[in-house]
Amino acid sequence: ETGVTQSPTHLIKTRGQQVTLRCSSQSGHNTVSWYQQALGQGPQFIFQYYREEENGRGNFPPRFSGLQFPNYSSELNVNALELDDSALYLCASSVMIFSGRETQYFGPGTRLLVL
Amino acid sequence: AQKVTQAQTEISVVEKEDVTLDCVYETRDTTYYLFWYKQPPSGELVFLIRRNSFDEQNEISGRYSWNFQKSTSSFNFTITASQVVDSAVYFCALTQDTGNQFYFGTGTSLTVIP
């Protein structure tokens, strides 16, 4: 077990709705990254938060947004859901010492289905 | 640009056979880090190994071994005497020294048949 938890485990929404996914980082980890994993694909980087500030973003539109809280838990918010947003959403926590090189530890993911 | 290619989409082996999962990467950086993760059906990515670009020593951990060759930009993963519990999707990933995202391959689905 990595100590990273996510909620909910499964979620069904309809197109146009908004969704909030939650992640609790491993104790002592100050960085959280979010990934989208479509069926049969590798995870795609959405963004990363370090000390409550966004610290890099992948090729995702602004309707994907996030928050990181002082206790290092975090949220991923997706507005105006589209059918293609159906995927497994993974969060990963790490310790930011130097950018990029630290191992990321993943949670079990939230499976989102958009109808 | 960073890119990771796992050309093997699916592999099936019979229990106790050895199997090698291939990973080829592209990067212009001289310092970078390579990872392997295992994803069982439950979905959680399990960290297996991290290797930096300056350390080309091969590594063995129990039945697992990794062969890193900068000359061919490859970081292959071998499971010796495979077991049913090894059945999972395996991902190779790359990250830069100065950067914050992991670049994942598309994964190799390994099925070990009893």
Side-chain angles (χ1 to χ4, degrees):
Chain A
E1 288 220 358
T2 63
V4 180
T5 60
Q6 292 186 243
S7 63
T9 55
H10 294 81
L11 203 51
I12 300 175
K13 291 285 189 179
T14 56
R15 195 169 48 181
Q17 284 188 313
Q18 178 265 343
V19 68
T20 297
L21 311 181
R22 295 180 174 82
C23 172
S24 178
S25 297
Q26 188 177 114
S27 177
H29 285 187
N30 56 14
T31 303
V32 65
S33 303
W34 284 91
Y35 291 82
Q36 180 195 66
Q37 186 179 13
L39 198 62
Q41 299 296 316
Q44 297 293 313
F45 177 71
I46 303 174
F47 45 57
Q48 182 182 82
Y49 277 78
Y50 169 61
R51 292 187 176 177
E52 303 171 53
E53 298 284 333
E54 188 176 290
N55 185 45
R57 188 178 187 91
N59 190 26
F60 280 81
R63 59 188 185 85
F64 285 79
S65 63
L67 284 173
Q68 185 185 31
F69 301 101
N71 65 355
Y72 301 137
S73 64
S74 67
E75 290 181 354
L76 164 65
N77 298 290
V78 187
N79 293 324
L81 283 167
E82 302 177 358
L83 298 180
D84 284 349
D85 295 333
S86 296
L88 177 68
Y89 288 86
L90 295 160
C91 79
S93 74
S94 57
V95 176
M96 178 70 75
I97 300 176
F98 299 101
S99 295
R101 65 179 65 176
E102 303 308 324
T103 299
Q104 296 190 357
Y105 295 91
F106 286 80
T110 294
R111 293 189 186 275
L112 172 65
L113 177 60
V114 182
L115 301 176
Chain B
Q2 326 295 322
K3 185 179 179 182
V4 174
T5 301
Q6 295 179 256
Q8 304 154 306
T9 306
E10 296 181 3
I11 299 177
S12 291
V13 298
V14 176
E15 202 171 19
K16 299 184 182 176
E17 287 184 344
D18 299 348
V19 58
T20 295
L21 310 182
D22 297 334
C23 172
V24 175
Y25 62 92
E26 296 175 31
T27 180
R28 280 182 255 177
D29 294 351
T30 54
T31 303
Y32 51 89
Y33 298 81
L34 295 163
F35 298 77
W36 275 95
Y37 284 86
K38 173 182 180 180
Q39 188 175 44
S42 60
E44 183 171 330
L45 283 163
V46 178
F47 166 72
L48 296 177
I49 190 171
R50 181 181 90 175
R51 177 51 50 90
N52 73 56
S53 53
F54 295 108
D55 181 5
E56 287 193 72
Q57 227 177 4
N58 291 332
E59 182 158 338
I60 298 174
S61 176
R63 297 184 297 107
Y64 295 170
S65 62
W66 291 269
N67 183 348
F68 176 31
Q69 291 195 337
K70 285 179 75 170
S71 60
T72 56
S73 296
S74 65
F75 186 41
N76 297 336
F77 172 31
T78 297
I79 302 174
T80 303
S82 59
Q83 300 176 0
V84 173
V85 294
D86 297 326
S87 297
V89 181
Y90 291 85
F91 289 96
C92 180
L94 165 73
T95 187
Q96 304 153 275
D97 188 35
T98 56
N100 43 32
Q101 76 174 81
F102 277 37
Y103 298 86
F104 283 86
T106 50
T108 297
S109 177
L110 173 65
T111 300
V112 180
I113 303 165

